[in-house]
Amino acid sequence: MSAVKSVKSDLRKQMKLVLGQLSSEEKDRQSKKLFEKLCATPQFQQSKKVSLFLSTPQEINTLPIVKYLFETKREVFVPTYKGLKMEMVKLLSMEEYENLPVTKWNIKQPNFDETKESALERGGLDLIILPGVAFTIDGKRLGHGMGYYDSFLNAYLRQHRKPHLIAVAFNEQILDDVPTDENDVLVDLVLTEK
């Protein structure tokens, strides 16, 4: 294992402990404040085609964002995975969201083999809202370790203009530095409740 991989792995374990200590109430409080801040950003207000992750209990709650995107008639794209491949596919309604199957990680996800509109085939995205384990205020991001988002983004950027990249995080996920390598894509903005 390379030195960077080892440091990343150790940091993921540390962050899991940190996030495990946050109460549900505190996560809800920060998620609500962050949702308000996100809605106020020009990048979010101007975006018509938005991709976002469907959150786990250890992440900023993205369900209010999904609902708001549908209420404001935006196109909503969410990740689906198979093996090490990730695609962003279009969700059509909250009803479709409610009926999505749940993965072994307890995340709602469209079935990869179902025929769905892909963001890559739709001329790209205006905004991608990213998850992560830890971030720096200048846009470094430590993902969950599978490389899904970095692989997707690197492939995406070879075909389309760069969309706005906004990461959403709990205050506790902001660090002075996180280890990165040449495959890691920087985000434009890291939003927290603070």
Side-chain angles (χ1 to χ4, degrees), residues 36-161:
E36 292 166 12
K37 280 180 80 171
L38 176 67
C39 289
T41 65
Q43 298 95 318
F44 185 80
Q45 290 174 1
Q46 293 160 13
S47 294
K48 302 284 182 242
K49 292 191 243 177
V50 180
S51 156
L52 78 162
F53 64 101
L54 300 176
S55 53
T56 69
Q58 296 307 316
E59 296 172 312
I60 287 290
N61 181 4
T62 58
L63 183 55
I65 303 168
V66 175
K67 287 180 179 168
Y68 183 78
L69 288 169
F70 281 122
E71 286 167 8
T72 54
K73 308 286 190 254
R74 322 284 182 94
E75 289 186 64
V76 179
F77 294 82
V78 298
T80 182
Y81 311 86
K82 186 171 191 176
L84 292 177
K85 184 171 170 51
M86 178 175 91
E87 282 188 30
M88 292 294 173
V89 295
K90 190 171 181 180
L91 266 190
L92 300 174
S93 65
M94 277 311 295
E95 185 181 2
E96 184 181 15
Y97 165 82
E98 297 294 346
N99 293 316
L100 287 177
V102 175
T103 68
K104 65 181 178 189
W105 298 295
N106 207 25
I107 302 169
K108 282 182 172 280
Q109 176 187 304
N111 187 328
F112 192 88
D113 298 319
E114 230 176 86
T115 308
K116 289 209 166 292
E117 259 184 277
S118 163
L120 293 176
E121 297 158 2
R122 284 291 313 230
L125 296 160
D126 301 319
L127 168 64
I128 299 177
I129 299 172
L130 295 99
V133 175
F135 306 90
T136 63
I137 53 171
D138 62 349
K140 288 184 182 176
R141 173 185 165 272
L142 176 69
H144 290 279
M146 300 298 286
Y148 288 122
Y149 269 88
D150 291 309
S151 296
F152 173 82
L153 289 170
N154 283 308
Y156 181 95
L157 294 173
R158 287 192 290 273
Q159 297 177 46
H160 299 284
R161 69 173 171 75

Side-chain angles (χ1 to χ4, degrees), residues 1-16 133 142-145 179:
M1 186 187 283
S2 74
V4 172
K5 268 192 170 163
S6 178
V7 174
K8 284 182 173 186
S9 179
D10 290 346
L11 184 53
R12 284 187 190 99
K13 288 175 190 156
Q14 287 174 22
M15 292 308 297
K16 188 175 181 180
V133 175
L142 176 69
H144 290 279

